[in-house]
Amino acid sequence: MGTYILKSIGKSTDYMVIDREMDDGYVVRIVRDKDGYEDVTIDYITKTLFESCVRTGYLTKVKQEEKVAVNT
């Protein structure tokens, strides 16, 4: 559904993936880099909080590259 980079301090590449949309929020998978291994957390975030995080820059949507088929 969407992948978002979490604003963090340092060179950490933490991100969040929306797994499921519900009526009033999202079930998300948060992946944090912890000294070379991934700490994965499944959580719930309300739509209001999610929209606030995007608006303030805490979450930034990852632009997915589109694959283009070329006929040869």
Side-chain angles (χ1 to χ4, degrees), residues 9-70:
I9 298 172
K11 297 179 181 180
S12 182
T13 55
D14 302 340
Y15 63 95
M16 180 180 82
V17 178
I18 298 176
D19 285 334
R20 185 173 7 140
E21 182 175 358
M22 303 179 80
D23 290 337
D24 58 346
Y26 304 98
V27 174
V28 297
R29 183 170 15 106
I30 300 169
V31 181
R32 295 187 181 274
D33 181 14
K34 299 281 188 175
D35 296 326
Y37 73 93
E38 291 183 342
D39 177 32
V40 179
T41 305
I42 305 296
D43 211 338
Y44 175 83
I45 185 171
T46 65
K47 287 185 177 181
T48 304
L49 179 57
F50 175 80
E51 291 166 1
S52 177
C53 289
V54 170
R55 192 171 48 253
T56 60
Y58 183 74
L59 294 174
T60 305
K61 185 161 178 70
V62 173
K63 295 178 183 174
Q64 307 249 341
E65 294 183 19
E66 294 183 29
K67 293 183 180 179
V68 179
V70 177

